[in-house]
Amino acid sequence: DTDKELDEKAKRVRALLSSYYGGGAEAGGGSGGDGLAASPGPVDGKDSRKASTNVDSSAFDCQLCFDTLLESSHLDELLDREVKLQSEVKTFDGDMQMLVYENYNKFISATDTIRNMRGKVDDMEVKMAQVKQSIKKIAENNSAVDGKMEERRARFDELNTVRDVMGKLTQVLDLPNKCRLAMARGAHSVAVRYIASCKPFLADFSDGSLGDTRRELESIQDELVAILKENLKTDPDHNVDVINQLRQLGETVTELEDTFLSGAAVQLEEVLSRATEGLEECKCIGEDAARRAMASARENASSSSSSSSSSPLVAAALRALLEDFAPCATQLQSQYRGMFSGENAEGIRRTGSGFANDGDDKLRPIVESVLEKAVRSFKNFILTHPVKTIVAPEVLLSVLGDIGEAFRSLQDKFPHIPEVEASMLDAIECSIRNYLGGKFLQLERSLKESVAERLKLTEADPMAMPQHLAEATRTLEKTFDSFLESMQDLQKKGTSLIGYWQDAYVGLIEEGCYQTFLSIHSDHQGDPKGALPQAAAAGSGDGGLFLSQLLKTFGEELVPRVERKVVSLFISRTARDDLAKRNGNVAEKFLALSQRHLSLYVSTKGKDLSVKIRANMLEKFNWLSYERKSEGVYPVFEQICADLESWRKVCEGVVGEDGRKLVQASGGAGGAGAGGGDPPRCCDRE
């Protein structure tokens, strides 16, 4: 209860102080009356009665509060309430005395402070008056000093101006040395700034030190212009800065544009030269492959690496073309547009962005010309296919595919030059056409070597002629089959390069086979008057019979077989009536040539018999008595019979019934009749 009373007491004290000092709203929580909270404003009804009985309220009604207590409380409660009120009154009296004492002390202190301040303010007014007099005196003295120093101050200002001018003149006179030092250090922009800043000042001076400085700077400017123009060719990354520096030095726009274009041409030529120098040295795809094979052999490379279809030389050239040339050309175009395209302060008239007008665009023909050289370099590399170094189809397709893809990318980078990709596609088509020609030459050489090899073997061993003929036929068929299958593989794998001219490709295959047969026929045709060809020079022996039967095989088997193979492997959308007709003509030519060789063979053998008979009609043999005069001479009759028997055995091995009828019907010259018909058997002397 004691703590609660103390809290209520404290609240009432605070409320009284707040009321005394004008603290605004009245504090509640007092213990007077029945302990009801104070009302902050006017109230009505029941609330008004509570406010009248609240000791802390401004509407407190003592009589009403007393009547209320009498009505609502017992006697004991009233007595306790009286004791409590008396205690509170005493406490409030003590608190009020304490507050009065504390406020009195503060009032006394404030009074003393005000009294002291009044004394100090009085002294301050006197001192301020003295300060005012001192300031007035200082101002008068300052005016006097200013009057006396005005002339000297004007002189000082004049001297300072002269000093500044002399400093600037010293800097101007020292500019040549500064410019040369900046040029020696490579700081060309600094030298340009020096010259450009002093040119207007020195323009009016032609004599004296300033005139000499002007002329020296003009000489330095000429040197600097030459250096900057050279930098346009050697340092393309800073062309914009160099052009701006040349403009600051007073170079005309036309001269700058011409200088830029010449430098751009040199840069592009150098980049292209570095990119294609390997191609120029190697000359063709086959030589590149041969060099790689030799390098792999020297380095003992594995078979997989040595047979790689990709070409490092071509890859490096294409990479340089895409990563060096294309960015360089693009950068030059951007620089050209930034410096010489659009309306600018120099009065250059252009329209739009990029390459504005064809008439105004001077860089485009340069880029186009260099790209044409790039196309020519790659075209020269891929067009030639020497038979000795001809590459495999997969190597050709890999190289041509890489080149085609690279030039397609170049076309995307330079859409304003539409002939880049088209020109290279034409070159790729020509390369494949030339490659087919080289492969057919290689095929022709292989076929002729096979025939010549079997011809030599037959001459060495005539009795094995049937075996050699069969082996030669199998070799020729296998060679043709392998060749045509490789050409079909080339067509399938190279669809992206051959697809749009596929019918022409098939036509080339058909024409190549036809020309190959004609070439083989021509090699064994010989002189139309009847002389044997060089390829059949051995035909004076049994080689003539071998060639006769081999040519017959060409006409009856190889030509039709190759025709069927071509039709089955290569699909063409054009009619093939001429193919069958032409191949039929070739087959007939081979059969006719076979008959001719067989006739020449029989004729030659008849001539050999005549020569032997004439050679033995000498004094070495007495035909009347049939006696030998020399033991070393074999009777010619027995020799002739032996020769005829050997020829019969050879012919029976390789010539059928049709062949024998052909020989009988042909009738050889010069002893051919002796060899015609069935050869006579050997008989005794009787």
Side-chain angles (χ1 to χ4, degrees):
D1 293 339
T2 304
D3 294 335
K4 184 176 180 181
E5 292 176 356
L6 291 176
D7 291 337
E8 293 178 352
K9 175 183 175 182
K11 291 179 180 179
R12 285 196 302 272
V13 170
R14 284 196 297 272
L16 290 173
L17 289 175
S18 176
S19 175
Y20 178 77
Y21 288 106
E26 296 178 356
S31 60
D34 56 356
L36 298 176
S39 175
V43 291
D44 297 329
K46 186 177 180 179
D47 292 337
S48 175
R49 180 178 179 83
K50 289 182 179 180
S52 300
T53 59
N54 189 352
V55 178
D56 296 329
S57 174
S58 59
F60 175 71
D61 186 348
C62 181
Q63 186 62 39
L64 180 60
C65 179
F66 179 73
D67 293 339
T68 302
L69 287 174
L70 289 178
E71 292 175 359
S72 60
S73 302
H74 298 287
L75 179 62
D76 294 338
E77 293 176 352
L78 291 174
L79 293 176
D80 292 338
R81 183 64 175 168
E82 180 185 8
V83 173
K84 186 176 180 181
L85 288 174
Q86 290 178 356
S87 176
E88 289 179 358
V89 169
K90 292 180 180 180
T91 301
F92 285 151
D93 289 341
D95 292 339
M96 292 297 293
Q97 291 177 3
M98 182 62 67
L99 287 173
V100 171
Y101 175 74
E102 290 177 354
N103 289 328
Y104 179 77
N105 288 337
K106 293 178 181 179
F107 175 77
I108 296 301
S109 297
T111 303
D112 294 340
T113 301
I114 293 172
R115 186 181 299 110
N116 293 332
M117 287 181 64
R118 182 179 298 135
K120 292 180 179 179
V121 168
D122 293 340
D123 294 339
M124 187 179 297
E125 291 179 354
V126 175
K127 291 180 179 179
M128 289 298 295
Q130 294 175 354
V131 169
K132 184 176 179 181
Q133 291 296 327
S134 298
I135 291 174
K136 183 177 180 181
K137 185 175 181 180
I138 291 172
E140 293 174 354
N141 294 334
N142 187 37
S143 299
V145 171
D146 285 342
K148 294 179 180 179
M149 294 297 296
E150 183 176 1
E151 182 179 355
R152 294 184 179 181
R153 188 182 299 110
R155 180 60 177 169
F156 287 155
D157 293 340
E158 182 180 354
L159 292 176
N160 286 331
T161 303
V162 173
R163 184 186 64 182
D164 294 340
V165 172
M166 292 301 296
K168 293 180 180 180
L169 287 175
T170 302
Q171 293 179 358
V172 171
L173 296 175
D174 196 39
L175 277 179
N177 295 331
K178 290 183 178 181
C179 289
R180 294 190 183 280
L181 181 61
M183 292 169 61
R185 294 178 177 178
H188 298 141
S189 59
V190 177
V192 170
R193 188 169 64 252
Y194 286 156
I195 296 175
S197 61
C198 72
K199 281 179 66 176
F201 172 72
L202 294 175
D204 297 333
F205 297 94
S206 58
D207 299 328
S209 299
L210 292 177
D212 295 339
T213 301
R214 173 187 173 183
R215 286 185 288 274
E216 188 173 0
L217 284 176
E218 289 175 350
S219 175
I220 294 174
Q221 177 178 338
D222 294 339
E223 297 178 11
L224 185 58
V225 168
I227 293 174
L228 292 176
K229 289 182 177 181
E230 184 65 24
N231 287 346
L232 284 176
K233 303 176 182 179
T234 59
D235 189 11
D237 294 336
H238 300 87
N239 278 348
V240 175
D241 296 336
V242 173
I243 290 295
N244 290 331
Q245 292 168 7
L246 289 172
R247 284 176 176 173
Q248 294 179 34
L249 294 177
E251 293 295 307
T252 62
V253 173
T254 303
E255 292 179 357
L256 292 177
E257 188 173 13
D258 293 340
T259 302
F260 176 83
L261 292 174
S262 61
V266 172
Q267 293 172 28
L268 294 176
E269 293 281 357
E270 290 178 352
V271 174
L272 179 62
S273 177
R274 289 195 299 270
T276 59
E277 59 183 354
L279 302 180
E280 299 291 341
E281 180 182 356
C282 210
K283 296 183 180 179
C284 67
I285 301 175
E287 186 173 344
D288 174 40
R291 291 185 180 184
R292 285 190 286 126
M294 293 176 61
S296 298
R298 287 195 300 267
E299 298 172 1
N300 295 322
S302 62
S303 59
S304 61
S305 62
S306 62
S307 61
S308 174
S309 60
S310 61
S311 171
L313 176 66
V314 175
L318 294 176
R319 185 167 55 253
L321 197 64
L322 293 176
E323 298 179 2
D324 296 337
F325 175 81
C328 179
T330 303
Q331 182 184 23
L332 289 173
Q333 289 178 354
S334 177
Q335 292 173 349
Y336 182 83
R337 288 194 294 266
M339 293 182 292
F340 304 107
S341 181
E343 296 183 358
N344 50 40
E346 284 72 17
I348 307 174
R349 294 182 179 179
R350 299 284 194 272
T351 59
S353 60
F355 287 99
N357 298 325
D358 292 341
D360 294 335
D361 176 18
K362 298 180 181 179
L363 181 62
R364 174 176 172 176
I366 295 175
V367 177
E368 186 172 357
S369 174
V370 178
L371 280 176
E372 289 176 356
K373 291 182 179 179
V375 171
R376 284 198 299 271
S377 297
F378 280 91
K379 183 184 295 186
N380 294 335
F381 179 75
I382 65 176
L383 283 182
T384 307
H385 299 285
V387 177
K388 292 183 179 180
T389 59
I390 199 163
V391 297
E394 56 269 17
V395 176
L396 176 74
L397 292 178
S398 176
V399 172
L400 296 183
D402 292 343
I403 293 175
E405 185 64 29
F407 276 85
R408 189 174 299 110
S409 299
L410 277 179
Q411 184 67 79
D412 295 338
K413 295 179 182 295
F414 302 99
H416 56 281
I417 305 177
E419 299 300 324
V420 176
E421 183 181 7
S423 299
M424 186 48 62
L425 288 178
D426 291 341
I428 290 174
E429 179 180 345
C430 292
S431 175
I432 296 177
R433 289 174 178 269
N434 294 344
Y435 178 78
L436 289 179
K439 292 295 286 186
F440 272 108
L441 289 177
Q442 190 181 49
L443 171 66
E444 182 181 327
R445 180 177 297 179
S446 176
L447 295 173
K448 292 178 180 179
E449 289 176 353
S450 297
V451 172
E453 180 183 359
R454 292 298 169 183
L455 185 61
K456 288 182 180 180
L457 294 175
T458 301
E459 286 291 332
D461 186 9
M463 299 306 297
M465 187 182 298
Q467 178 183 354
H468 296 319
L469 185 60
E471 291 179 355
T473 302
R474 286 194 298 270
T475 301
L476 294 175
E477 290 176 351
K478 184 178 180 180
T479 302
F480 262 113
D481 290 347
S482 176
F483 173 81
L484 293 176
E485 288 170 0
S486 67
M487 293 300 98
Q488 183 198 29
D489 189 56
L490 174 64
Q491 181 187 16
K492 288 181 178 179
K493 294 181 179 179
T495 303
S496 60
L497 302 175
I498 303 175
Y500 66 94
W501 57 284
Q502 177 178 345
D503 292 339
Y505 178 86
V506 176
L508 290 174
I509 297 295
E510 296 172 353
E511 181 67 23
C513 293
Y514 175 73
Q515 294 297 332
T516 300
F517 284 130
L518 287 182
S519 177
I520 295 175
H521 177 274
S522 177
D523 276 3
H524 299 90
Q525 176 77 22
D527 189 349
K529 295 181 179 181
L532 289 173
Q534 293 182 357
S540 57
D542 296 312
L545 180 59
F546 173 81
L547 282 177
S548 172
Q549 297 307 304
L550 187 61
L551 292 172
K552 182 179 179 182
T553 302
F554 267 95
E556 293 180 349
E557 298 180 17
L558 281 178
V559 173
R561 175 187 175 87
V562 170
E563 179 183 351
R564 292 192 300 270
K565 194 78 173 178
V566 169
V567 172
S568 64
L569 292 180
F570 301 94
I571 300 175
S572 177
R573 291 169 292 186
T574 59
R576 283 175 162 171
D577 298 336
D578 293 341
L579 176 63
K581 184 177 179 180
R582 291 199 305 171
N583 288 336
N585 293 335
V586 172
E588 292 176 0
K589 289 183 178 181
F590 273 114
L591 293 175
L593 186 59
S594 172
Q595 295 175 6
R596 182 181 173 205
H597 272 274
L598 184 57
S599 299
L600 290 174
Y601 168 75
V602 174
S603 177
T604 301
K605 290 300 182 182
K607 290 180 181 179
D608 289 344
L609 290 177
S610 299
V611 170
K612 287 183 180 181
I613 293 173
R614 286 194 298 270
N616 283 277
M617 291 177 65
L618 301 173
E619 296 178 356
K620 295 180 180 180
F621 189 80
N622 188 350
W623 287 89
L624 297 177
S625 61
Y626 199 65
E627 295 177 353
R628 302 178 188 173
K629 292 184 179 181
S630 174
E631 295 294 334
V633 178
Y634 188 81
V636 66
F637 180 72
E638 294 182 4
Q639 184 178 1
I640 290 172
C641 289
D643 289 344
L644 290 175
E645 183 67 19
S646 66
W647 298 345
R648 182 183 67 79
K649 291 180 180 179
V650 171
C651 290
E652 285 180 350
V654 295
V655 181
E657 185 67 23
D658 294 338
R660 287 197 292 272
K661 292 180 179 179
L662 170 65
V663 174
Q664 293 174 1
S666 62
D678 294 336
R681 296 183 180 276
C682 296
C683 58
D684 55 13
R685 298 177 183 175
E686 289 78 13

